[in-house]
């Protein structure tokens, strides 16, 4: 049976990793900080997927970002989706060559469907994740692009329809209202998703603790839950969250985490003998 | 702990990862290196035909994949290596699909024919309400727990991401299946030819274990 | 060493003055969080309306004073009183010493969103001397300012014939201290004097060597000053369920509140206490005296509002609590006109030796949070 997924999202801004509060960024630390406090090779065994987004507010240094994606993907044997400022097929290729399995696009949906079709043609639709940032305005959900600054004239429904036409592989649906608040996912947003929506949905925005993941996992419309909360899930928290969710019977993938160490360098006894 | 690991004392296996311009090779390289084996990215058909361990990755459409293999002459090189020189080969995801007889994606194309199975898109009826692409971890059931599937429990979770799959029309050798609306071929080992629809390099320790089995065989 | 306990729900420490724990080991702030769920907030809102009506100015003057800093809490209270209850309010700020750019910006943004305001600047030197005296005598680095935000505001209210001052929350009730006023809607000056300035007030004023006119803004009005007037005080947290995160969201949306670009020192948040440099020293002194700092306080708020679990909070507190305000030391030394060694002597004096040990020139905790 297809499992649901728990996804961790890293928000990158010009060499630093950030915490987002309703799309306002707080600098937390660099790659060293992340390695020290998140013990990345161990961490990746507690999650199903990693998403790395370049949300740099100033001019983007693509090469620097690619280097970070590459560094993060080492010893990380899970799918990695990367994006942020993807505007052409070449950059999509660069991301794939630096460790990304999937490309995340956002503003491009509002700028050039043609380019997206080209990326899909080259890499396959399952390699393209369309991320949508939505905010409640009056009584309607509106879509924002350009790091949440540009309100689109399309409603969320129209946007979702566009995506199924292309088609992309998955949708990463993020609530700007709940972003970074730790108040849990927006129930209304879940309700808004059409019952028979054709593409897998990754829900994001508002998770602060594992109990919040449950709200998403319990809905038939949600295929994966994501969090970008860099503070709340520090240390063992993601590992503990997964253990708690599995214990409570949620449909997540299982693997033997203990194998990790014993399998390393199994074909190179020289390295092993130092143990 | 080191003393109790059972493995054949041998030179670290040397893997030839086929580079035909398609696929995320980085992760596969990473996984193989993690196991302590050697891996080279090779695009030269001559070298490929003489390799003893081959890995065929893949991404995108079946037809484009076959075109790329033909254009580079790598298709023939693979056949020589496997059929004439007894090379061991593992096809991953689309790489596995390319080893089949035919793939209907994107206009259709003949495959390498290393195994007789065809590759078709999941149909709406078959899917029974499930979404396309099939993406995420799903449970894989093994026909036998040996060879490629040694040391696994009866079923294990692996990472899939695909809209097309290999039909179960012929089940040769040992194989593994997965259910997504309906049962499809998830992995197989027929003599020296292996394939996994799922991504072992993306399947946590389960995937690493399977790669170990492939390299040990 | 006397046994130290931590709340089983949040991470409040038993060293906190006036804290109590129930059978579950939950501190009074956490108990209060639960009690609040059963309070008839509608009834309390009714009380609020009655009180507001009693104090509305009959002559078109100001109805009440709301002390603000440009931060989330004062902004929230002002916003509610003005837009929801139609009050004609006067906001008041006592200028902090060593104000930060972000704080100044936030105050401006707040004012630009449309509030009457009075800016009180007690004499720089008097403030400085009181702060320094408070730092040395009581381990309170901005004692002068803490005093003035009450006394100067009260004087102003009195002088302008405004009979009601609205504070944000009762820190004692909300964060783990005396529960005395949790059921008190409105109170008078005697209570204020008693709790907030317990112990040190007279001592610091005397030790400062300042005369009465220099201390005008730092002294409570006398009986004579009151004449026939009365000033009452209320905490907003009595009338509405206090939620400082909600305040932050509203202030962000309606009053132009901006956050710092990096985490504030000693914690993981970036949206509060951005107005003055001395706050970091204040938080550090609290850490040395009591064993917990800003991260612990912020973690408690996050846990109680359901955003994180105690286990998650523990990771953050261990990582961030008790940060030595390296970045401001030079500023402090210049401000206080102290040398590093004089400064260190004060720090050393106030560090709780049962909780800390000096290693390589820094006070390190000898306890581990359980």
């Amino acid at each position: 049976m297809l499992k649901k997924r728990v996804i961790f999202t890293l928000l990158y801004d010009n060499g630093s990793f950030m915490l987002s509060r309703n799309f306002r960024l707080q600098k937390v630390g660099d790659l060293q900080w992340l390695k020290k406090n998140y013990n990345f090779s161990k961490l990746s065994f507690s999650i199903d997927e990693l998403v790395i987004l370049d949300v740099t507010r100033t001019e983007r240094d693509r090469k620097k970002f690619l280097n970070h994606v590459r560094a993060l993907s080492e010893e990380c044997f899970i799918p990695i989706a990367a994006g942020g400022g993807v505007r052409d097929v070449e950059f999509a290729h660069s991301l794939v060559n630096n460790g990304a399995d999937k490309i995340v696009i956002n503003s491009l949906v509002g700028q050039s469907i043609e380019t997206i079709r080209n990326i899909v043609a080259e890499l396959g639709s399952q390699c393209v994740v369309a991320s949508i940032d939505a905010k409640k305005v009056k009584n309607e959900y509106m879509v924002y692009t350009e790091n949440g600054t540009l309100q689109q004239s399309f409603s969320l429904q129209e946007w979702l329809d566009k995506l199924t036409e292309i088609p992309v592989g998955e949708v990463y649906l993020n609530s700007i209202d709940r972003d970074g608040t730790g108040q849990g996912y927006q129930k209304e947003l879940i309700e808004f998703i059409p019952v028979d929506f054709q593409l897998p949905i990754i829900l994001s925005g508002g998770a602060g603790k594992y109990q919040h993941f449950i709200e998403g996992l319990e809905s038939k419309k949600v295929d994966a839950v994501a969090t970008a909360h860099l503070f709340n899930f520090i240390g063992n928290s993601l590992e503990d969250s997964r253990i708690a969710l599995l214990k409570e019977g949620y449909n997540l993938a299982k693997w033997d985490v203990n194998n990790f160490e014993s399998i390393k360098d199994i074909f190179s006894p020289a390295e092993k003998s130092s143990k | 702990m080191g003393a109790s690991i059972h493995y054949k004392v041998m030179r670290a296996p040397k893997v030839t990862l086929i580079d035909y311009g398609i696929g995320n090779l980085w992760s596969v390289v990473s996984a193989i290196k993690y196991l302590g084996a050697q891996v080279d990215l090779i695009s030269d058909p001559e070298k490929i035909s003489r390799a003893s361990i081959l890995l065929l990755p893949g991404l995108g459409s079946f037809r484009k994949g076959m075109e790329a293999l033909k254009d580079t002459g790598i298709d023939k090189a693979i056949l020589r290596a496997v059929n004439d020189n007894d090379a061991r080969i593992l096809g991953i995801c689309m790489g596995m699909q390319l080893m089949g007889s035919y793939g209907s994606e994107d206009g259709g194309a003949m495959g390498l024919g290393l195994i007789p199975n065809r590759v078709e898109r999941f149909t709406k009826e078959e899917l029974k309400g499930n979404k396309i692409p099939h993406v995420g971890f799903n449970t894989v059931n093994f026909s036998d727990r040996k060879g490629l599937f040694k040391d696994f429990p009866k079923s294990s979770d692996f990472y899939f991401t695909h809209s097309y799959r290999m039909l179960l029309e012929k089940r040769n050798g040992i194989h593994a299946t997965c259910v997504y609306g309906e049962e499809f071929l998830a992995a197989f080992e027929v003599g020296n030819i292996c394939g996994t629809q799922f991504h072992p390099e993306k399947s946590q320790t389960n995937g690493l274990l399977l790669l170990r089995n492939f390299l040990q065989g | 060493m006397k046994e130290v306990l931590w709340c089983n729900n949040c991470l409040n420490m038993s060293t906190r003055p006036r804290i109590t724990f129930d059978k579950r080991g939950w501190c009074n702030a956490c108990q209060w969080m639960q009690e609040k769920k059963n309070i008839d907030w509608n009834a309390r809102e009714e009380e609020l309306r009655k009180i507001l009506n009693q104090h509305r100015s009959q002559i078109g003057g100001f109805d009440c004073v709301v002390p603000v800093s440009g931060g989330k809490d004062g902004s929230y209270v002002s916003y509610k009183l003005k837009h929801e209850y139609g009050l004609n309010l006067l906001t008041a700020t006592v200028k902090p010493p060593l104000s930060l750019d972000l704080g100044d910006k936030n105050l401006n943004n707040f004012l630009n969103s449309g509030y009457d305001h009075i800016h009180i600047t007690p004499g720089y030197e008097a403030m400085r001397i009181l702060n320094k005296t408070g730092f040395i005598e009581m381990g309170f680095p901005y004692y002068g300012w803490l005093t003035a935000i009450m006394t100067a505001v009260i004087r102003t209210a009195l002088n302008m014939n405004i009979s009601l001052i609205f504070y944000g929350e009762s820190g004692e009730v909300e964060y783990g201290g005396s529960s005395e006023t949790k059921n008190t809607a409105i109170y008078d000056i005697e209570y204020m004097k008693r709790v907030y300035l317990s112990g040190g007030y007279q001592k610091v004023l005397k030790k400062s060597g300042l005369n009465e006119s220099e201390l005008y803004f730092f002294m409570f009005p006398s009986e004579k000053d009151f004449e026939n007037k009365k000033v009452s005080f209320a905490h907003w947290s009595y009338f509405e369920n206090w939620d400082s995160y909600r305040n932050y969201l509203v202030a962000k949306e309606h009053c132009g509140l901006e956050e710092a670009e990096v985490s504030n020192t000693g914690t993981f948040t970036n949206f509060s206490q951005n107005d003055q440099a001395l706050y970091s020293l204040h938080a550090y002194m609290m850490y040395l005296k009591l064993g917990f700092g800003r991260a612990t306080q912020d973690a408690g708020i996050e846990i109680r509002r359901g955003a994180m679990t105690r286990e998650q909070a523990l990771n953050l507190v261990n990582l961030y609590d008790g940060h030595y305000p390296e970045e401001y030391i030079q500023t402090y030394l210049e401000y206080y006109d102290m040398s590093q060694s004089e400064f260190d002597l004060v720090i050393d004096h106030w560090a709780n030796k049962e909780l800390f040990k000096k290693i390589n020139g820094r006070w390190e905790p000898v306890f581990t949070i359980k």
Side-chain angles (χ1 to χ4, degrees), chain A residues 265-270, chain B residues 6-14 35-38 53 211-217:
Chain A
D265 291 320
I266 200 164
F267 292 110
S268 297
Chain B
H6 298 291
Y7 54 83
K8 286 189 221 161
V9 178
M10 56 180 175
R11 266 181 319 147
K14 227 172 137 201
L35 293 171
Q38 278 179 269
I53 306 177
L211 282 171
R212 180 208 69 176
N213 291 347
F214 170 69
L215 293 176
Q216 271 179 349

Side-chain angles (χ1 to χ4, degrees), chain C residues 27 94 160 207 212 363:
Chain C
C27 73
V94 174
M160 292 185 72
K207 265 237 146 121
E212 229 178 87
W363 290 98

Side-chain angles (χ1 to χ4, degrees), chain A residues 52-56 60 62 65-66 69 81-96 100 102-113 115-120 123 127-131 146-147:
Chain A
I52 310 169
L53 296 176
D54 183 351
V55 295
T56 303
R60 285 181 165 109
R62 282 178 162 186
F65 179 58
L66 290 171
V69 174
V86 177
R87 297 284 181 273
D88 48 60
V89 187
E90 290 74 38
F91 189 53
H93 275 299
S94 303
L95 285 168
V96 170
K102 301 191 240 189
I103 308 299
V104 184
I105 49 151
N106 185 321
S107 302
L108 196 55
V109 179
Q111 292 167 352
S112 171
I113 299 278
T115 311
I116 304 176
R117 283 197 215 278
N118 290 338
I119 297 175
V120 168
L123 302 175
C127 285
V128 181
V129 178
S131 137
E146 308 290 343
N147 288 325

Side-chain angles (χ1 to χ4, degrees), chain A residues 28 33 231 234, chain C residues 263-268 295 315-323:
Chain A
V28 179
W33 185 95
F231 283 128
I234 209 173
Chain C
S263 315
N264 290 132
T265 55
T267 185
F268 49 91
N315 289 324
L316 293 170
V317 169
N318 283 332
L319 190 58
Y320 290 115
D321 221 13
H323 171 94

Side-chain angles (χ1 to χ4, degrees), chain A residues 21-22 24-28 33 36-37 180-183 208-212 231-237, chain C residues 245 248-249 252 257-263 268-271 305-309 312 315-316 319-320:
Chain A
R21 298 184 192 275
N22 302 112
R24 293 203 196 160
L25 302 178
Q26 176 182 340
K27 189 166 163 182
V28 179
W33 185 95
K36 179 169 163 236
N37 295 297
T181 60
Q183 293 170 331
K209 51 189 185 181
Y210 88 84
Q211 290 86 343
H212 293 147
F231 283 128
N232 288 18
F233 292 100
I234 209 173
N236 285 338
S237 197
Chain C
Y245 192 80
Y248 155 62
L249 293 177
K252 196 155 78 156
L257 181 77
E258 287 179 26
E259 304 92 329
E261 284 179 359
V262 300
S263 315
F268 49 91
T269 59
N270 68 342
F271 51 82
R305 75 179 180 93
M308 70 168 78
T309 62
Q312 289 172 302
N315 289 324
L316 293 170
L319 190 58
Y320 290 115

Side-chain angles (χ1 to χ4, degrees), chain A residues 219-234:
Chain A
S219 169
K220 283 203 176 75
K221 304 178 191 179
V222 173
D223 301 277
V225 290
T227 179
H229 210 304
L230 202 51
F231 283 128
N232 288 18
F233 292 100
I234 209 173

Side-chain angles (χ1 to χ4, degrees), chain A residues 192-255:
Chain A
F192 183 87
I193 303 168
V195 172
D196 54 355
F197 189 66
Q198 292 170 2
L199 304 172
I201 295 235
I202 303 167
L203 185 64
S204 165
K209 51 189 185 181
Y210 88 84
Q211 290 86 343
H212 293 147
F213 292 148
I214 292 174
E215 288 162 11
L217 293 174
E218 279 184 337
S219 169
K220 283 203 176 75
K221 304 178 191 179
V222 173
D223 301 277
V225 290
T227 179
H229 210 304
L230 202 51
F231 283 128
N232 288 18
F233 292 100
I234 209 173
N236 285 338
S237 197
L238 276 171
E239 197 181 329
D240 292 340
S241 295
R242 196 181 189 87
I243 292 171
L245 289 169
L246 283 169
K247 203 164 169 196
E248 289 183 37
Y250 287 96
N251 183 27
L252 299 179
K254 292 192 182 87
W255 46 78

Side-chain angles (χ1 to χ4, degrees), chain A residues 44-61:
Chain A
S44 65
F45 283 98
S46 316
I47 53 178
D48 293 283
E49 277 184 48
L50 182 66
V51 174
I52 310 169
L53 296 176
D54 183 351
V55 295
T56 303
R57 299 302 203 237
T58 52
E59 207 180 312
R60 285 181 165 109
D61 180 345

